[in-house]
Amino acid sequence: MSHELPKAYDPSVIEERWARYWVEEHLFDVATPQDTDEQRKKFTMLLPPPNVTGRLHMGHMLNQTEMDILTRWHRMRGETAVWVPGTDHAGIATQMMVERQLASEGTSRCVLGREAFVNRVWDWKELYGGAILDQMKRLGASVDWSREYFTMDERLSVAVKECFVRLWEQGLIYRGAYIVNWDPAIQTAVSDLEVEHEERLGKIYHIRYPLADGSGSIVVATTGRRRCWATWQLQ
């Protein structure tokens, strides 16, 4: 066996092996504290679940590194520290990705039917959800893999519904009319992240609305007929 140090550091030789060892030995699994552990400080952190629409990017790596440092710091202080991992279903975004995949195959969800399409979505989740977790394991993230979750898990879905109902009852969330990005292909609203932005040379219109008592007027500026119509409706 050669004892000569390589001229360049090769992370694949060391990091992957140790990361796999940490997972296989369950070194970061944390048992639920018992009543006798009340004197020991506890630190719990949930991983903001990445969407199963693809693979992790540099933004994920940055915040996961910061969370890993924080969890390890609490662990080194002798506290019961647990970092809970998981992934998010990102329903509409995932549907869009699967629809693109089907289009590349010359078919669509309408041709497949509901049941077959749902199965394809679950196949996508297994592929990319597993890839995301494998990336985290290779990074050596010190999460408790025994507590891994997915936002569509039955027990977690109940908790999510309970949370939203409570927020609604407290007046912290609301429903209202607002402009959305409508996708005519998949027949649903999509987020700003899924929109392809295009710059166009347009015009700005100023509309003067006289007050009913004749004391003055209000000027509203808009860039298109749709907003003009909406403004007229409000007036």
Side-chain angles (χ1 to χ4, degrees):
M1 178 179 179
S2 174
H3 294 282
E4 181 181 352
L5 290 175
K7 295 180 180 180
Y9 173 66
D10 183 2
S12 63
V13 177
I14 298 175
E15 294 179 359
E16 184 176 358
R17 175 168 61 89
W18 282 110
R20 184 171 61 251
Y21 173 80
W22 292 341
V23 173
E24 293 174 350
E25 295 298 319
H26 304 280
L27 296 186
F28 302 116
D29 290 6
V30 180
T32 302
Q34 304 300 317
D35 294 338
T36 55
D37 299 329
E38 289 184 357
Q39 300 301 320
R40 192 175 183 184
K41 289 186 177 181
K42 303 173 182 64
F43 174 79
T44 304
M45 180 168 56
L46 301 180
L47 171 74
N51 297 338
V52 292
T53 49
R55 300 181 184 273
L56 298 184
H57 52 65
M58 289 301 295
H60 291 114
M61 299 302 97
L62 174 61
N63 66 45
Q64 289 186 15
T65 298
E66 293 173 339
M67 287 186 282
D68 195 25
I69 292 171
L70 185 60
T71 306
R72 290 174 185 266
W73 180 71
H74 280 278
R75 195 178 291 128
M76 292 170 66
R77 287 167 58 91
E79 301 175 20
T80 300
V82 56
W83 182 16
V84 183
T87 49
D88 183 26
H89 62 285
I92 295 176
T94 303
Q95 174 185 340
M96 184 180 68
M97 299 301 291
V98 176
E99 293 236 31
R100 288 178 180 175
Q101 186 182 59
L102 292 175
S104 68
E105 299 171 4
T107 185
S108 68
R109 76 175 191 276
C110 299
V111 175
L112 288 181
R114 180 181 178 84
E115 185 176 352
F117 178 70
V118 170
N119 289 335
R120 285 294 296 265
V121 173
W122 279 109
D123 290 341
W124 178 281
K125 180 266 176 184
E126 292 301 321
L127 174 61
Y128 286 99
I132 287 172
L133 299 179
D134 286 341
Q135 285 179 288
M136 289 189 64
K137 291 174 182 178
R138 288 197 61 181
L139 283 170
S142 61
V143 299
D144 183 348
W145 290 109
S146 68
R147 299 175 184 268
E148 177 196 335
Y149 68 92
F150 176 57
T151 48
M152 291 292 286
D153 291 343
E154 184 176 350
R155 292 178 61 189
L156 197 63
S157 294
V158 173
V160 170
K161 292 177 183 176
E162 175 69 20
C163 178
F164 273 93
V165 169
R166 291 189 185 187
L167 290 173
W168 169 267
E169 292 174 345
Q170 296 171 18
L172 299 176
I173 58 175
Y174 62 92
R175 295 180 65 182
Y178 56 94
I179 296 176
V180 298
N181 303 309
W182 180 260
D183 189 323
I186 62 177
Q187 293 292 298
T188 188
V190 296
S191 75
D192 292 342
L193 296 175
E194 273 69 57
V195 175
E196 294 184 6
H197 296 274
E198 179 181 306
E199 291 188 7
R200 292 187 178 183
L201 183 62
K203 296 180 179 180
I204 186 166
Y205 302 89
H206 294 80
I207 305 173
R208 185 185 301 277
Y209 293 100
L211 300 178
D213 59 4
S215 61
S217 60
I218 296 177
V219 177
V220 177
T222 182
T223 58
R225 286 177 296 176
R226 179 180 298 178
R227 293 297 298 272
C228 287
W229 179 85
T231 306
W232 178 80
Q233 288 290 93
L234 290 173
Q235 188 268 348

